[in-house]
Structure formats: structure tokens, C-alpha cells
């Protein structure tokens, strides 16, 4: 492990080590903020943080009872003390929308609250196979009244607008008046950012104003609108009680309630079932939102909670059949793997209009923005586990192509498209351009994801419809930003690579190498379509005003790309100036000063050899065939010593390359840091939301790292290893219409064709061919 960086201390695990769930057995205010994130539920659109239905009355700063909608945002002007041409003008940030899950419970004049009275028993479980958040609490009030609350909560994968809660109350010794209140509370606001740029938004106060409300027996709805982005939102609930009793409706500002009050006897049980929906004008016309809400809730009520539960379990059963990674020999890792995969599925947009944010739909960190994390870290997991979701992520980028063209013009490119570094709706939202707009590599990252998608799926329909235009339009930016030096090398100056502790440099290796890939890929697409789909090529070329000479210019720039290399050290230089800087004084940097970005001015960091995350080492993974094994080992050794891993994106990449070059212990240590980053809160900020890229990096660590999976020139390769800590491991991948299971055990790997007719690949350089007559083969390895 890197002796200069923060030590990855052995963590005490928060929850029992169970493969398919996380289980909480006590109610603790100290961990509550974190628990709200870890027990969050979502479906790629709706995100409900894991606060109890009754709300939370604990100390300030120990809760953020948030509800989020992927892609639903407010906007605000970015205020610069000193403005400059081309700076991002408007920020977009994900909103905390009305809280529709609230259920109050009163025993006469005492309200159910786990922080008053005495909690006799408590258990809460998030089950990754059923998608249910369940809770059982036995509680005695300060006046000695006892009850049991059992709740089940789900956010539907089948209907992105719907969630449901079943809330059962049993009186253990209480006889008197019980009151149940179903609330829809629109008086919410976003978390305000402090000194940490990764947390919250700059806005204060309410961001939604109410324009209407509606209530009937069991039904409540709020109609609200954002101030600046102009979106209308209808938040609605339908609540049903197990006894035939009409509710009393009430409204207090933006808070709507449905109240049932009745006499109960000891031993009596009541069940309140609550269905909630969110519809916005980002998806439908504003005039449709109310009737769509009513229709969804009426259908859910007619089906009942049990039918929704069965549909949820069926959806997840199909997901796990394709995506499950099984690891024998490390219970903590198996739990971390399933937790990460489940949260990725909960976080990802599946409609072609939304993406996946750095914190998913679990918190407000990074304001709900989408980054390159999607293409480089998260996309591979969905590509090989659920390729239909991967395509939707690419469709999102195509929908953003017009905005990317606009951004290119703002950045003085007369043609081409430049994707934003951080965004929701397509506009650049990064206010700090040295670590934002300057990261031009996002264009190549998106092209890389399209390239890997085509290699894995051969989806020519997508290429013609969208992919080719994205790849070629974004490739133009490289010939626009780059130039040839006096030695004839193609240089790309004043950019920032993945390492955000080194900004605005010339010839960042990762950027140049990925641009080279991008330019060659764009030229290949142009040549392929011109030969095979001339009419489609003509249509795309006309839409782009593509000059006939441009593909040749792309080839020339790629062939003459400047890729910095230091002959004395025999390593790839991160950029032209990185190796000439003094190395950061790691030995005298206190542990509490990490992450560096919170404790040192950017200019101080930029003057030093210090990396926030993998940069050259990441290139060694993505462009694996361009590096020899010795290259990778030397690059790893050098950059490991100067990398802090302050970014959660870093350790998974170091793990993968460590495994490839034979550093087995380092590979495992880095991998474990990635796999349980959120469950053990190793970065200390998971309470603001999960780290979706690191979650996906766990899958990459198994497939790319220990199984040695690579796709080179469209050909699939494996070079498996078995960590000494494991008994065996199994994972599956979709590739070219086939579903392949890879089972690695001591000294042997078994490949099994589960779907498809044929699949060819290599194992340690040896050809393997699976087909219907021979769907299983075993191979040995050292």
C-alpha cells in the first residue's frame, strides 16, 4: 500500500456480515445520518433516504430527510466576483422534493418517536433480493403505552413514478384513542453547501412554490413549480386504512394530511398502506401530470402492496440472474459487492433522458450532477450486466448533443461538440474551469463508452441512429484544440486530466492517449459507414456539415499524437511538466489534512507532484494493449508513491493494475478499500450520498482485475487469478448476444455459455470456443 498516502485502516463493520442484506439492530443518533444513505431506496428516478416514516427528532446535523428525482432540477445563475468570457453561466441542482412518506402515529396525546420513551426491540433490514426496506420496532411511551410497528417500503422498478409503504401498528397494552396521520409535506429545502465543494447547493430557502393542491378521501396532491427552471411537479399520495373509516383532511401551508382516529384495544392491529407518486413536466405536459398521478395511484391501490412486492422481487430476480457476483471466502466483501450492485441499479436512469449522478439518488452531494464517472466507471457494469440500461445511458448523451455543440461554440470551436464536465440537462455547470471545463477528456471518455458498447453488442442500429454522430462530432474538438509543434508532434495544451491535483497542463498523457483512440475510432466509423451504409453516412455528414477531408485529418493527428515518456525513469509522464515539479511532502502532512483539496489552495497543490487519483494508471487499463507489462509495473510503482487517493475513483484502478502486474496483496487491499467504501464510510462523507463510481469499480475489480478481462480489437480475453483470501468466485457477462458465466476456483476456471449460440474468446492467450453442443469448458491457470 502507498506509504505516503492516508493509511487504509482496518474498519469495524457497521452491520452483521450477511450476503444479501444490511441489518440494523439498534436505533442510534450517532450513525443516523449515514444510515439514511445506506438504507435509501430508489429506482433510478425516485430516491427516498432511509428516514423512518415517523420522521426524526434527533440532534441537528444528524439527518437529512430527503426525497430526490433523478433529472428534476432547479437552476440558478453562477455568481463570479470576477467574470470571464465562456465561464459556465447557470448551475443546475437536484431538488429535495416534497416528503410523501410521512406517517405520524399517536396514542392519545403521545406521539410515536423512537427517541422518546423506550425502544424494546428494533430491527431494520434492506434486502437486496426483494428490494424491500423492512422494520420492526417494539416501543414503550414515556407513559408506559406499548406498541409494535412493522413497516415495509419499496420504490417500484416497474413504474418509475411509484413507491409504496405498508405500515402495520399493533397495540401491545394500549387501550384508547389511536391517531394515524398520512402527510404530504412540501415545505422542504435543500442542504446548503459549506466549505466542502462536494456537498449540497449554494441555494438557501424553498426552491418550489405551490400553485395548487387537491385532497379527497385518502388522496392528497401538491402542484408546485420551480422558480427558474420552470418545471411543474405533482407530488401525490393515496392512503388506505385496513378499517372502513373516512379520514379527515387538512392543509397547513404546503403540508397536506389525511387523519384517521379510532378507539383500539390491546392486541388490535391496524394497517395503513400508502402509495406515492411523482410526475414532472420534464416527462409530460404540465396539464397531464394530475391525471397521470391519479391513474398511477389508483392502479397501485387496486393491485395492492403484495402485488407490487411480487413484481419488485421478480424484477430483481431477473437482475441478479444476470448480474450476481458470488465470492466465497470473504463475507465482508460479498456483502459489499451485493450492496454496491443493488445501489447502482437503484441509482441509474433507464429512460434515455436521465443519467446516473455521482451520489445516485441517495443524497445531495455534487448537486445531483452527472460526470465522466458514468462512462468510465459505471457504464462497464451495466454494459456487461444489463446492456439495455447501458444503451439508455448512451441515448442520454445523444439527447445532450445539441447542448454540447452550443458549448463548443462558447469555447470558440467553430465546429464539433464539447460535452459538459458536470451537468444535469446538458449545460456546463462547473464553476471552476481548471478542474471542470478543462477536462476535455470527457469527449474521449464518451467515445470510449460507445466503442466498448459496439464491441460488446455490435448494435449497428444504435451506431447509425446516434453513436456515429456523437463520435465524429466530438472528435472534431481535438483537431480544433490541438496543434502540431516544430517537431511535427500533435500536441494538446492547457487541459486537465483525471488527476484534479494537476490542472491546466500541456500534453496530459491520459487526455492525449484517449484523444488518439477517439480520433482513430471516429475515422474508422466514417470509413465503415461510407462503405457499408452510404445513404446513412451521407445523412449524418450533411447534418454535421462534415468535410470530406476531416477523417484523414483525424488519422494524421492520431498518428502524430504527442504521448509524453521519460526515458530516464522509463515511465509515461503524466504531462510535460509533472516530473519537473517537487514531490509533495507526504511525510510531514498530517493525516487530518487529507483530502488535500479541503486544506490547501489549489495553486499550492498544482505546484507539486501529487495525484488525487489514477491518471496514467487509468490509461494503462483503458488502453491496455498499448502498454507492455513492464510499462504498467513501472508506471504503477512511480505513481502509487505520489497518489493520495483522495478521490473515491482511484483505488479500484490501482487494484486492477496491481493484480495485472503481480502485486497480489496490494491488489486485494485496494480492492477492499473500494468494495466497502460506503458500507464502512472510509471517506467519511457517505452520509451525503453513496459513491456510485466506486461501487461500479468493485465490479471492475473482479472482472478486469482478478479475472483479467479485457476487450482488445473487439476480441474478449481473460487471464484469471484467485486471491488467496477466496475459495472461488463467479460472475457473468453479456457479450455479442451471449451470456457467459465465469467460475474461478483454485487452479482452474470454468466457462459456461448460459445464453446464445456461440461465443469465442481467449483464456491466457489460448482460444476457447463455446457453443450449444459444447456450452462448458474448463481451463487451468497458475
Amino acid at each position: 500500500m502507498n506509504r505516503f498516502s492516508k493509511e487504509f485502516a482496518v474498519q469495524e463493520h457497521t452491520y452483521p456480515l450477511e450476503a444479501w442484506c444490511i441489518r440494523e439492530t439498534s436505533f442510534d443518533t450517532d450513525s443516523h445520518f449515514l444510515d439514511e444513505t445506506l438504507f435509501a431506496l430508489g429506482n433510478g428516478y425516485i430516491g427516498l433516504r432511509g428516514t423512518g416514516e415517523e420522521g426524526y427528532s434527533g440532534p441537528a446535523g444528524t439527518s437529512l430527510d430527503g426525497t430526490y428525482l433523478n433529472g428534476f432540477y432547479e437552476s440558478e445563475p453562477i455568481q463570479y466576483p470576477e467574470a470571464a468570457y465562456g465561464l459556465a453561466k447557470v448551475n443546475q441542482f437536484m431538488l429535495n422534493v416534497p416528503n410523501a412518506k410521512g406517517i405520524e402515529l399517536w396514542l392519545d396525546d403521545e406521539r410515536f418517536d423512537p427517541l422518546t420513551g423506550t425502544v424494546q426491540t428494533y430491527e431494520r433490514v434492506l434486502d437486496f433480493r426483494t428490494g424491500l426496506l423492512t422494520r420492526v420496532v417494539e416501543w414503550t411511551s414515556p407513559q408506559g403505552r406499548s406498541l409494535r410497528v412493522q413497516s415495509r417500503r419499496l420504490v417500484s422498478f416497474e413504474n418509475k413514478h411509484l413507491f409504496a409503504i405498508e405500515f402495520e401498528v399493533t397495540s401491545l397494552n394500549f387501550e384508547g384513542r389511536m391517531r394515524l396521520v398520512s402527510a404530504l409535506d412540501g415545505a422542504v429545502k435543500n442542504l446548503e453547501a459549506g466549505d466542502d465543494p462536494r456537498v449540497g447547493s449554494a441555494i438557501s430557502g424553498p426552491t418550489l412554490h405551490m400553485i395548487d393542491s387537491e385532497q379527497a378521501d385518502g388522496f392528497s396532491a401538491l402542484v408546485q413549480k420551480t422558480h427558474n427552471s420552470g418545471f411543474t411537479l405533482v407530488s401525490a399520495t393515496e392512503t388506505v386504512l385496513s378499517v372502513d373509516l373516512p379520514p379527515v383532511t387538512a392543509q397547513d401551508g404546503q403540508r397536506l394530511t389525511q387523519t384517521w382516529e379510532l378507539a383500539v384495544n390491546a392486541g388490535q392491529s391496524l394497517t395503513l398502506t400508502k402509495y406515492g407518486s411523482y410526475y414532472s413536466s420534464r416527462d409530460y405536459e404540465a396539464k397531464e401530470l394530475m391525471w397521470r398521478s391519479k391513474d398511477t395511484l389508483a392502479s397501485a391501490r387496486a393491485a395492492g402492496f403484495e402485488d407490487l412486492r411480487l413484481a419488485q422481487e421478480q424484477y430483481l430476480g431477473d437482475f441478479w440472474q444476470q448480474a450476481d457476483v458470488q465470492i466465497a471466502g470473504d463475507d465482508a466483501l460479498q456483502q459489499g459487492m451485493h450492496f454496491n450492485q443493488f445501489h447502482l441499479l437503484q441509482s441509474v436512469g433507464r429512460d434515455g433522458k436521465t443519467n446516473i449522478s455521482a451520489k445516485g439518488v441517495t443524497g445531495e452531494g455534487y448537486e445531483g450532477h452527472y460526470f465522466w464517472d458514468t462512462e468510465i466507471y459505471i457504464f462497464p457494469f451495466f454494459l456487461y450486466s444489463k446492456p439495455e440500461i447501458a444503451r439508455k445511458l448512451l441515448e442520454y448523451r445523444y439527447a445532450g448533443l445539441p447542448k454540447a455543440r452550443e458549448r463548443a461554440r462558447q469555447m470558440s470551436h467553430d465546429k464539433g461538440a464539447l460535452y459538459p464536465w458536470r451537468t444535469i440537462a446538458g449545460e456546463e455547470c462547473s464553476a471552476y474551469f481548471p478542474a471542470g471545463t478543462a477536462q476535455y477528456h470527457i469527449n474521449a471518455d464518451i467515445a470510449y463508452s460507445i466503442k466498448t458498447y459496439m464491441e460488446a453488442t455490435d448494435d449497428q442500429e444504435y451506431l447509425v441512429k446516434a453513436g456515429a454522430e456523437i463520435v465524429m462530432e466530438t472528435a472534431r474538438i481535438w483537431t480544433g484544440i490541438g496543434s502540431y509543434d516544430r517537431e511535427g508532434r500533435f500536441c494538446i495544451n492547457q487541459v486537465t486530466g483525471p488527476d484534479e491535483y494537476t490542472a491546466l497542463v500541456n500534453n496530459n498523457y491520459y487526455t492525449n492517449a484517449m484523444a488518439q483512440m477517439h480520433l482513430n475510432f471516429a475515422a474508422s466509423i466514417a470509413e465503415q459507414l461510407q462503405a457499408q451504409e452510404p445513404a446513412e453516412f451521407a445523412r449524418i455528414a450533411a447534418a454535421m456539415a462534415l468535410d470530406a477531408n476531416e477523417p484523414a485529418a483525424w488519422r494524421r493527428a492520431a498518428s502524430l499524437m504527442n504521448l509524453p515518456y521519460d526515458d530516464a525513469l522509463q515511465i509515461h509522464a503524466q504531462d510535460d511538466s509533472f516530473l519537473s515539479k517537487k514531490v509533495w511532502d507526504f511525510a510531514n502532512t498530517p493525516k487530518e489534512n487529507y483530502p488535500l483539496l479541503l486544506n490547501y489552495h489549489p495553486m499550492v497543490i498544482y505546484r507539486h507532484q501529487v495525484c488525487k487519483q489514477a491518471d496514467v494508471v487509468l490509461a494503462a487499463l483503458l488502453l491496455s494493449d498499448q502498454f507492455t507489462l513492464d510499462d504498467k509495473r513501472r508506471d504503477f510503482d512511480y505513481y502509487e508513491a505520489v497518489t493520495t487517493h483522495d478521490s473515491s475513483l482511484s483505488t479500484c484502478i490501482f487494484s486492477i493494475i496491481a493484480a495485472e502486474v503481480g502485486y497480489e496483496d496490494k491488489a486485494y487491499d485496494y480492492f477492499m478499500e473500494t468494495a466497502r467504501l460506503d458500507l464502512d464510510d472510509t471517506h467519511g462523507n457517505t452520509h451525503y450520498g453513496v459513491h456510485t463510481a466506486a461501487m461500479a469499480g468493485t465490479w471492475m475489480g473482479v472482472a478486469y482485475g482478478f479475472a483479467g478481462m479485457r476487450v482488445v480489437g473487439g476480441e474478449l480475453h481473460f487471464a484469471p487469478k484467485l486471491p488467496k483470501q477466496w475459495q472461488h468466485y463467479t460472475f457473468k457477462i453479456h457479450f455479442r448476444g451471449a451470456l457467459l458465466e465465469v467460475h474461478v476456483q483454485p487452479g482452474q476456471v470454468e466457462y459456461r455459455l448460459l445464453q446464445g449460440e456461440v461465443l469465442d474468446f481467449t483464456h491466457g492467450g489460448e482460444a476457447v470456443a463455446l457453443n450449444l453442443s459444447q456450452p462448458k469448458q474448463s481451463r487451468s491457470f497458475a
Side-chain angles (χ1 to χ4, degrees):
M1 192 58 61
N2 177 4
R3 67 185 179 91
F4 292 115
S5 69
K6 301 167 294 179
E7 295 178 5
F8 298 134
V10 175
Q11 298 289 324
E12 291 187 10
H13 302 310
T14 308
Y15 310 109
L17 299 181
E18 301 176 71
W20 286 104
C21 70
I22 53 173
R23 184 185 308 271
E24 182 183 45
T25 56
S26 64
F27 189 77
D28 185 357
T29 58
D30 289 341
S31 65
H32 186 268
F33 206 161
L34 174 63
D35 293 336
E36 284 182 329
T37 295
L38 301 182
F39 285 91
L41 284 183
N43 63 1
Y45 178 61
I46 299 173
L48 306 180
R49 279 178 65 83
T51 317
E53 290 81 11
E54 68 280 357
Y56 179 72
S57 63
T62 60
S63 174
L64 176 63
D65 190 1
T67 301
Y68 309 105
L69 303 178
N70 188 4
F72 183 76
Y73 66 92
E74 175 61 305
S75 58
E76 59 181 348
I78 299 174
Q79 301 295 330
Y80 296 98
E82 296 183 30
Y85 179 82
L87 297 181
K89 296 183 182 300
V90 176
N91 186 30
Q92 300 161 351
F93 57 95
M94 183 174 69
L95 288 177
N96 186 5
V97 299
N99 180 3
K101 64 181 182 290
I103 301 172
E104 295 177 16
L105 171 60
W106 295 79
L107 306 180
D108 286 338
D109 59 346
E110 291 186 292
R111 179 173 175 173
F112 167 61
D113 182 345
L115 292 178
T116 66
T118 304
V119 175
Q120 307 292 351
T121 63
Y122 179 94
E123 181 177 76
R124 181 165 62 158
V125 178
L126 176 57
D127 191 309
F128 312 138
R129 288 174 294 190
T130 64
L132 288 183
L133 178 63
T134 61
R135 184 178 59 150
V136 180
V137 184
E138 291 190 1
W139 175 81
T140 301
S141 76
Q143 295 183 33
R145 298 157 174 161
S146 296
L147 58 77
R148 179 172 58 249
V149 171
Q150 296 174 275
S151 66
R152 300 193 293 175
R153 183 189 301 180
L154 65 84
V155 181
S156 173
F157 283 116
E158 295 291 353
N159 185 336
K160 79 171 193 175
H161 300 282
L162 179 68
F163 76 88
I165 298 170
E166 183 184 75
F167 190 87
E168 182 183 27
V169 184
T170 302
S171 172
L172 299 180
N173 70 359
F174 171 65
E175 296 193 354
R177 304 295 293 181
M178 180 179 289
R179 190 160 78 250
L180 286 159
V181 182
S182 173
L184 174 59
D185 189 359
V188 296
K189 64 179 185 177
N190 276 57
L191 180 70
E192 292 182 47
D195 294 331
D196 189 339
R198 303 166 296 178
V199 177
S201 67
I203 201 74
S204 61
T207 52
L208 289 162
H209 65 275
M210 190 173 73
I211 57 176
D212 200 4
S213 64
E214 184 175 330
Q215 285 193 285
D217 285 357
F219 175 78
S220 298
L222 283 171
V223 184
Q224 296 169 302
K225 195 167 185 178
T226 60
H227 291 275
N228 299 319
S229 55
F231 298 125
T232 302
L233 173 68
V234 172
S235 311
T237 61
E238 180 81 24
T239 311
V240 185
L241 192 64
S242 56
V243 299
D244 187 14
L245 179 71
V248 175
T249 63
Q251 180 169 352
D252 181 9
Q254 297 193 62
R255 188 172 190 268
L256 310 182
T257 57
Q258 305 265 346
T259 301
W260 290 262
E261 185 171 345
L262 68 165
V264 298
N265 300 315
Q268 185 176 348
S269 295
L270 296 169
T271 301
L272 185 149
T273 307
K274 185 170 188 177
Y275 307 97
S277 71
Y278 296 93
Y279 277 89
S280 90
S281 57
R282 280 215 75 191
D283 291 321
Y284 300 100
E285 293 290 331
K287 63 185 179 181
E288 300 179 17
L289 303 180
M290 184 63 78
W291 73 256
R292 288 185 179 277
S293 302
K294 291 179 177 179
D295 184 64
T296 292
L297 295 176
S299 297
R301 177 175 179 170
F305 188 91
E306 188 62 17
D307 278 7
L308 296 178
R309 183 195 69 79
L310 290 171
Q312 194 82 338
E313 189 169 335
Q314 183 176 354
Y315 183 94
L316 284 166
D318 175 70
F319 169 73
W320 289 117
Q321 190 275 330
Q322 300 174 68
D324 186 18
V325 177
Q326 302 169 26
I327 298 169
D330 193 320
D331 294 339
L333 182 54
Q334 182 66 88
Q335 183 184 48
M337 178 64 69
H338 285 155
F339 174 83
N340 291 345
Q341 292 179 281
F342 179 71
H343 263 285
L344 285 167
L345 183 65
Q346 290 199 130
S347 298
V348 67
R350 294 176 288 142
D351 55 10
K353 296 182 287 187
T354 54
N355 200 285
I356 180 170
S357 75
K359 298 291 187 180
V361 285
T362 66
E364 297 174 27
Y366 292 109
E367 302 176 287
H369 289 159
Y370 314 136
F371 294 81
W372 73 308
D373 304 24
T374 297
E375 282 73 27
I376 297 304
Y377 291 83
I378 300 168
F379 185 82
F381 167 70
F382 286 108
L383 174 60
Y384 297 115
S385 300
K386 289 278 284 185
E388 65 271 24
I389 293 180
R391 172 159 175 166
K392 291 298 181 182
L393 292 172
L394 295 182
E395 289 176 6
Y396 166 82
R397 288 301 189 186
Y398 186 67
L401 189 57
K403 294 292 186 183
R405 288 187 172 110
E406 289 180 19
R407 183 58 177 160
R409 304 302 167 269
Q410 292 167 3
M411 294 300 294
S412 302
H413 300 290
D414 59 3
K415 56 187 174 182
L418 177 61
Y419 276 95
W421 180 243
R422 55 190 295 175
T423 190
I424 295 178
E427 294 87 354
E428 178 63 82
C429 294
S430 177
Y432 185 63
F433 74 87
T437 296
Q439 297 206 47
Y440 269 66
H441 65 82
I442 191 168
N443 267 17
D445 301 329
I446 293 169
Y448 185 87
S449 70
I450 295 172
K451 181 173 182 287
T452 57
Y453 177 78
M454 292 305 303
E455 290 172 335
T457 68
D458 194 28
D459 186 352
Q460 294 296 321
E461 188 266 345
Y462 167 76
L463 183 68
V464 169
K465 181 179 178 181
E469 189 174 352
I470 293 175
V471 171
M472 293 192 292
E473 191 75 296
T474 52
R476 289 171 141 178
I477 295 298
W478 300 120
T479 50
I481 189 178
S483 60
Y484 294 91
D485 66 8
R486 288 179 294 178
E487 297 176 35
R489 299 173 302 182
F490 189 78
C491 299
I492 301 174
N493 296 323
Q494 289 299 288
V495 296
T496 299
D499 168 31
E500 294 173 348
Y501 283 173
T502 310
L504 298 177
V505 297
N506 296 340
N507 296 309
N508 168 256
Y509 183 90
Y510 175 91
T511 301
N512 286 22
M514 290 290 283
Q516 182 183 57
M517 173 279 305
H518 187 179
L519 290 162
N520 279 326
F521 182 43
S524 295
I525 286 176
E527 293 157 5
Q528 173 194 333
L529 292 183
Q530 201 164 12
Q532 299 175 6
E533 300 275 359
E536 293 292 352
F537 177 77
R539 174 186 61 80
I540 297 168
M544 294 174 53
L546 182 70
D547 187 281
N549 297 320
E550 284 188 72
W554 299 338
R555 287 284 192 201
R556 179 170 181 263
S559 67
L560 296 171
M561 186 67 67
N562 184 357
L563 299 173
Y565 188 83
D566 187 277
D567 290 321
L569 295 173
Q570 293 186 291
I571 64 169
H572 297 91
Q574 185 167 298
D575 57 68
D576 282 353
S577 62
F578 186 81
L579 298 178
S580 65
K581 298 174 182 178
K582 63 180 178 181
V583 175
W584 185 272
D585 186 2
F586 297 98
N588 292 308
T589 301
K591 290 182 180 180
E592 60 270 19
N593 281 14
Y594 293 97
L596 300 183
L597 79 162
L598 299 184
N599 295 283
Y600 300 91
H601 190 281
M603 291 298 293
V604 175
I605 299 174
Y606 296 162
R607 294 188 188 109
H608 291 82
Q609 276 191 59
V610 57
C611 299
K612 182 183 179 186
Q613 63 203 73
D615 193 300
V616 171
V617 176
L618 177 59
L621 168 62
L622 303 183
L623 306 170
S624 183
D625 59 318
Q626 298 180 25
F627 294 73
T628 68
L629 194 62
D630 286 340
D631 283 336
K632 292 176 182 178
R633 186 178 293 111
R634 287 190 297 266
D635 287 343
F636 180 96
D637 290 343
Y638 190 89
Y639 290 105
E640 185 194 28
V642 295
T643 301
T644 65
H645 307 292
D646 284 347
S647 168
S648 62
L649 307 182
S650 189
T651 53
C652 63
I653 305 303
F654 274 81
S655 173
I656 293 166
I657 300 302
E660 184 175 7
V661 302
Y663 296 157
E664 296 178 4
D665 290 342
K666 288 184 177 184
Y668 200 79
D669 288 343
Y670 278 124
F671 182 69
M672 283 300 295
E673 163 69 7
T674 304
R676 292 190 61 92
L677 187 149
D678 283 315
L679 273 178
D680 293 332
D681 194 22
T682 58
H683 279 233
N685 61 0
T686 297
H687 51 287
Y688 293 122
V690 298
H691 298 77
T692 54
M695 288 177 155
T698 310
W699 183 90
M700 293 169 64
V702 173
Y704 292 175
F706 300 124
M709 176 181 155
R710 301 287 188 276
V711 178
V712 179
E715 295 182 356
L716 181 62
H717 303 265
F718 293 97
K721 298 177 181 180
L722 180 67
K724 61 187 178 185
Q725 295 88 343
W726 299 355
Q727 298 163 13
H728 56 82
Y729 65 97
T730 305
F731 67 99
K732 303 167 189 175
I733 67 159
H734 286 272
F735 195 81
R736 295 295 177 100
L739 181 62
L740 175 69
E741 180 181 83
V742 182
H743 177 72
V744 183
Q745 56 193 8
Q748 182 175 286
V749 58
E750 180 181 277
Y751 298 102
R752 184 188 294 267
L753 185 65
L754 300 179
Q755 296 175 16
E757 297 184 357
V758 62
L759 183 63
D760 298 328
F761 56 92
T762 69
H763 163 86
E766 175 187 357
V768 180
L770 300 180
N771 52 55
L772 293 176
S773 61
Q774 191 177 19
K776 181 177 73 173
Q777 290 191 39
S778 297
R779 293 290 189 275
S780 61
F781 64 89

